[in-house]
Amino acid sequence: MSTPVFSDEIRARLEVDAKEIIARYPRERSALLPLLHLVQAEEGFVSSKGIRFCADQLGLTTAEVTAVVTFYTMYKRRPTGDYHVGVCTNTLCAVMGGDEIFTALKDHLGVGNDQVTDDGKVAVEHIECNAACDFAPVVMVNWEFFDNQTPESAKRLVDDLRLGKDVTPTRGPDRLCTWKEASRILAGFPDGRATEGTQAGEPSLTGLRLARERGWTAPDPAALPAKDTQEGGAAS
């Protein structure tokens, strides 16, 4: 049985963007990751059609593309929600309440890990780390931060998303984009909103503030003692 392909209209439209993406790289196959985001922006997940499209654009086999798709969890192999809610359950977030939030959301929405609500609005997944330990416990929606969450605040968040209410991330743009829109941004087509909203919260800026108050500065590299470049050599 032949691999399904996009319609001529969709393929022609995607090929325009694909050429722009591929032109950014000295080796064409290096464009695979953003191309996968591009096809995910089309359907909301990476289907067999998307895999076939990426393979054709880069001269790869579908097996080679599939190996990449199945390695990275940011690519979904089945439809996900308009809003992908990732709950950090790594060490610090977990002990601060991340595990409790994750359990509460699954029970509240009636879904399991990486599953979608019946209305197709919200998917929930545990994330190993959102790289925001100073705001633990952290939840991300379509890769935008919602800091210092509790089970109750997280449930209100997903309820608002399902009701279509305006939801503003703790840091980042003034409104949330959809999962498909986020995938297109990750493909390398910015929406022009990267500088909106709060860019860094107080916990991230505490060290900088203390350094300025106390007159701390980084050492001058030129004043540091030189080191012998030979293996095992002592500092001069």
Side-chain angles (χ1 to χ4, degrees):
M1 185 173 64
S2 60
T3 304
V5 296
F6 287 126
S7 69
D8 291 343
E9 183 274 327
I10 293 176
R11 187 179 182 89
R13 175 163 45 78
L14 290 178
E15 283 178 345
V16 174
D17 291 336
K19 289 178 180 177
E20 180 178 336
I21 292 171
I22 294 169
R24 301 171 188 160
Y25 298 90
R27 295 184 62 196
E28 287 190 351
R29 68 181 299 153
S30 299
L32 179 55
L33 297 187
L35 277 182
L36 288 169
H37 283 299
L38 178 68
V39 296
Q40 184 159 264
E42 181 65 30
E43 298 186 284
F45 67 109
V46 181
S47 67
S48 297
K49 296 177 184 178
I51 290 173
R52 173 82 269 171
F53 177 83
C54 292
D56 290 346
Q57 298 303 303
L58 300 175
L60 300 174
T61 66
T62 55
E64 288 174 308
V65 177
T66 301
V68 175
V69 173
T70 55
F71 181 81
Y72 293 105
T73 58
M74 59 189 173
Y75 302 119
K76 302 304 175 186
R77 291 305 319 279
R78 58 181 182 272
T80 189
D82 293 333
Y83 298 99
H84 182 269
V85 179
V87 183
C88 184
T89 56
N90 213 332
T91 307
L92 185 56
C93 276
V95 300
M96 295 291 287
D99 285 342
E100 185 180 358
I101 291 171
F102 184 53
T103 298
L105 286 182
K106 288 190 295 180
D107 292 344
H108 183 64
L109 297 172
V111 298
N113 180 50
D114 211 14
Q115 293 182 353
V116 188
T117 54
D118 292 339
D119 58 8
K121 293 292 186 181
V122 173
V124 179
E125 180 183 14
H126 78 86
I127 305 295
E128 283 302 316
C129 184
N130 283 328
C133 299
D134 41 354
F135 299 95
V138 173
V139 170
M140 295 193 87
V141 181
N142 296 346
W143 311 121
E144 299 293 351
F145 288 104
F146 290 81
D147 304 321
N148 303 308
Q149 292 294 295
T150 66
E152 291 308 313
S153 68
K155 286 190 287 187
R156 287 195 300 271
L157 170 61
V158 296
D159 286 346
D160 287 346
L161 292 173
R162 298 183 77 183
L163 291 171
K165 294 184 178 180
D166 291 333
V167 175
T168 303
T170 309
R171 291 172 284 137
D174 297 330
R175 68 169 180 83
L176 281 174
C177 62
T178 66
W179 173 252
K180 289 183 179 180
E181 289 170 337
S183 294
R184 182 167 176 80
I185 294 168
L186 291 171
F189 298 96
D191 62 357
R193 301 173 55 234
T195 59
E196 287 182 3
T198 301
Q199 298 298 301
E202 177 57 28
S204 298
L205 299 174
T206 298
L208 177 62
R209 177 176 55 78
L210 289 174
R212 287 173 174 171
E213 290 175 355
R214 302 177 185 185
W216 295 342
T217 58
D220 181 357
L224 296 175
K227 292 186 177 181
D228 191 334
T229 58
Q230 296 182 358
E231 184 177 353
S236 60

